[in-house]
Amino acid sequence: MELPINMAKRAAYFSDLDLQVLLESYDEEKGVIMRKCNTKASAILRNKAWQRIADRVNSCNPTAPKRTGEQVKMKYKNVVQT
């Protein structure tokens, strides 16, 4: 059965190692991400911090699918929520 063209394929699950690296990296970048300033420059710094976290998650398992900063950010929010 084929998926319709407009339906996106589900992303791969995060492994336990991916989650561990994500949480450790978040703790290191927390100062940048949680900064109260609401300027364009601060938003750029936050996005770069999430991308650095994604790069660390991607480097821990080279065979896993590559994640973007937005995907890592959403996963962190989902982990914290549960």
Side-chain angles (χ1 to χ4, degrees), residues 5-43:
I5 293 173
N6 60 350
M7 286 187 65
K9 190 175 179 183
R10 183 177 173 94
Y13 290 104
F14 279 73
S15 70
D16 291 337
L17 178 61
D18 292 340
L19 287 175
Q20 180 181 357
V21 171
L22 167 60
L23 295 174
E24 289 172 1
S25 299
Y26 176 82
D27 283 340
E28 293 173 11
E29 299 285 350
K30 192 175 187 176
V32 175
I33 293 172
M34 298 300 289
R35 188 172 288 155
K36 296 286 184 190
C37 191
N38 193 19
T39 63
K40 185 175 181 178
S42 293

Side-chain angles (χ1 to χ4, degrees), residues 9-20 22 57-58 60-61 63-68 71-72 74-76 78-79:
K9 190 175 179 183
R10 183 177 173 94
Y13 290 104
F14 279 73
S15 70
D16 291 337
L17 178 61
D18 292 340
L19 287 175
Q20 180 181 357
L22 167 60
V57 170
N58 290 332
C60 75
N61 190 356
T63 59
K66 300 301 177 206
R67 315 240 185 230
T68 65
Q71 289 173 322
V72 171
M74 185 59 67
K75 181 61 178 179
Y76 178 79
N78 289 340
V79 167

